[in-house]
Amino acid sequence: MPSEFDIIRQFFTSSAISELRSDVVLGIGDDAAILDIAEGHYLVQSVDTLVSGVHFPIETSPEDIAYKALAVNLSDMAAMGAEPAWFTLAITLPDDNEKWLKAFSESLFSLAKKYNVQLVGGDTSNGPLCISITINGFVPKDKALTRNNAEVTDKIYVSGTIGDAALALASWQGQCLLRDDTASYLNKRLNRPSPQVELGILLREYASSCIDISDGLVADLGHITENSHVGAKINFEDIPLSKEFNLNLTDKSLIIPLVISGGDDYELCFTIPVKKQAEFEAIIEENKLSVSCIGEIESDKGVRCMENNVEIELQATGYKHFVN
Ligand code: ADP
Ligand code: MG
């Protein structure tokens, strides 16, 4: 059986990857990494853990696990308006399955390369499968996007489409069957979310607040309204749904909970002050990014979701650990 050092050497160190960025003064191999933060910037840091059987079904492929573990961290950088730069990987492995490790590391490094983020260290141990990635990025001082600056009359936007990942998850859990011609698209939306890093960086100049949708649209928008001491009204008709989502579902009573409370889309939800809206929409079109205006910030606390001007009763509001 190889030692943890063999595993690190074989699967998590390669010259192509360890020389990705010139701001890594010292990467994997010492007691800690040394990293050079560009002048005039703040370091932005976040950690996310994926536990087998909790955050992904145990039969998920190593490629998808690696992809998602890094993608959800990149999404946190996007939500802060930060440019991701470096990450560390704390991995707990039940065994030293070489085929699994090879598939995992190839998928991890291919996404890392795409976003120009370098693996600079980590920790390897034996136990139930668990992957924890800490990501670091930077943002020009005072340009970070937070959850606490939304103001009354600001417009509420989301990127991409909402509910796809929740629909795929519902099918994994045996609650529904996906149409054959939509299954691969929807499963990809669940297992391989696209972190909105480019949009996040662009939003630095326009958004008053931002969050990524991991727990559900209403739950995550609720974090913005709570932290900003405001409320929100969104219109169900304006929430963008994919054609693959629509092909599977026509029953409104099923659609609404998936769209409103389903998580895992990793799209951005953000607010734009009215005076910046026209310029923002123009820049979005120029950059061919996909965003939709779904509502407005109000002074009445809480999040209201309307359908044809009638308020929808919201029950479940996102996944919570330690709560039944
Ligand atoms: P230490 O005992 O000093 O904590 P380790 O033996 O845990 O060091 O790790 C040795 C080196 O390998 C360190 O630079 C560490 O960051 C790196 N490392 C360990 N596990 C991983 C991993 N899964 N991915 C990337 N680097 C790792
Ligand atoms: Mg260690």
Side-chain angles (χ1 to χ4, degrees):
M1 171 145 172
S3 71
E4 69 181 86
F5 302 107
D6 297 325
I7 291 177
I8 297 163
R9 196 175 326 107
Q10 195 175 348
F11 299 105
F12 298 115
T13 334
S14 93
S15 61
I17 283 301
S18 54
E19 284 155 24
L20 201 57
R21 297 183 63 98
S22 60
D23 51 12
V24 177
V25 181
L26 189 61
I28 294 174
D30 214 304
D31 291 308
I34 303 176
L35 307 162
D36 193 10
I37 300 167
E39 217 174 281
H41 289 70
Y42 285 139
L43 180 71
V44 183
Q45 187 182 71
S46 171
V47 61
D48 253 313
T49 300
L50 297 190
V51 180
S52 178
V54 177
H55 299 96
F56 55 86
I58 41 176
E59 60 271 35
T60 309
S61 73
E63 291 90 343
D64 284 345
I65 296 170
Y67 188 102
K68 191 153 181 178
L70 182 55
V72 300
N73 277 280
L74 290 166
S75 177
D76 282 324
M77 293 289 106
M80 299 302 292
E83 186 179 333
W86 317 294
F87 68 106
T88 57
L89 167 70
I91 187 163
T92 308
L93 295 162
D95 50 43
D96 61 336
N97 181 335
E98 290 203 8
K99 208 169 140 226
W100 191 98
L101 277 162
K102 184 166 185 290
F104 179 92
S105 76
E106 280 176 5
S107 171
L108 184 76
F109 287 135
S110 124
L111 185 64
K113 224 169 172 179
K114 183 170 165 199
Y115 284 85
N116 195 32
V117 289
Q118 185 170 331
L119 180 64
V120 294
D123 202 20
T124 307
S125 43
N126 184 231
L129 182 61
C130 175
I131 293 111
S132 188
I133 288 182
T134 298
I135 196 153
N136 296 275
F138 40 82
V139 68
K141 283 189 177 170
D142 304 320
K143 288 284 182 192
L145 303 170
T146 62
R147 301 175 177 188
N148 54 18
N149 275 320
E151 289 190 15
V152 174
T153 75
D154 285 359
K155 298 293 180 189
I156 301 164
Y157 282 78
V158 291
S159 65
T161 58
I162 304 299
D164 297 330
L167 178 56
L169 185 63
S171 107
W172 269 93
Q173 291 168 338
Q175 294 166 15
C176 62
L177 267 180
L178 300 178
R179 272 174 56 135
D180 276 355
D181 56 349
T182 65
S184 92
Y185 176 83
L186 293 168
N187 283 322
K188 200 167 163 213
R189 292 278 291 154
L190 174 65
N191 292 322
R192 302 201 168 207
S194 303
Q196 298 298 310
V197 172
E198 186 193 353
L199 175 62
I201 290 171
L202 187 146
L203 288 176
R204 285 174 189 165
E205 303 303 326
Y206 300 96
S208 49
S209 70
C210 185
I211 193 167
D212 66 331
I213 304 175
S214 55
D215 294 333
L217 174 57
V218 165
D220 288 317
L221 177 56
H223 293 312
I224 288 184
T225 57
E226 215 166 284
N227 287 316
S228 302
H229 309 289
V230 292
K233 184 159 89 180
I234 58 174
N235 302 310
F236 189 79
E237 307 84 86
D238 296 331
I239 302 175
L241 307 179
S242 70
K243 78 171 186 297
E244 288 80 1
F245 184 98
N246 279 323
L247 277 171
N248 278 287
L249 288 177
T250 44
D251 181 347
K252 269 271 166 68
S253 67
L254 296 173
I255 296 177
I256 289 173
L258 286 175
V259 171
I260 284 179
S261 312
D264 279 304
D265 282 315
Y266 294 96
E267 296 292 345
L268 295 183
C269 177
F270 52 95
T271 54
I272 301 282
V274 176
K275 63 175 190 300
K276 291 190 174 175
Q277 197 181 8
E279 197 191 333
F280 170 67
E281 298 250 354
I283 210 93
I284 281 295
E285 203 172 310
E286 198 182 303
N287 285 276
K288 299 193 165 47
L289 294 167
S290 152
V291 303
S292 310
C293 181
I294 62 164
E296 196 173 307
I297 295 294
E298 299 181 331
S299 53
D300 278 358
K301 301 282 158 63
V303 176
R304 289 160 291 288
C305 185
M306 315 298 285
E307 192 189 11
N308 302 321
N309 290 321
V310 178
E311 190 172 342
I312 299 170
E313 211 168 302
L314 304 174
Q315 288 145 348
T317 49
Y319 185 83
K320 293 191 181 78
H321 292 274
F322 307 111
V323 176
N324 293 314

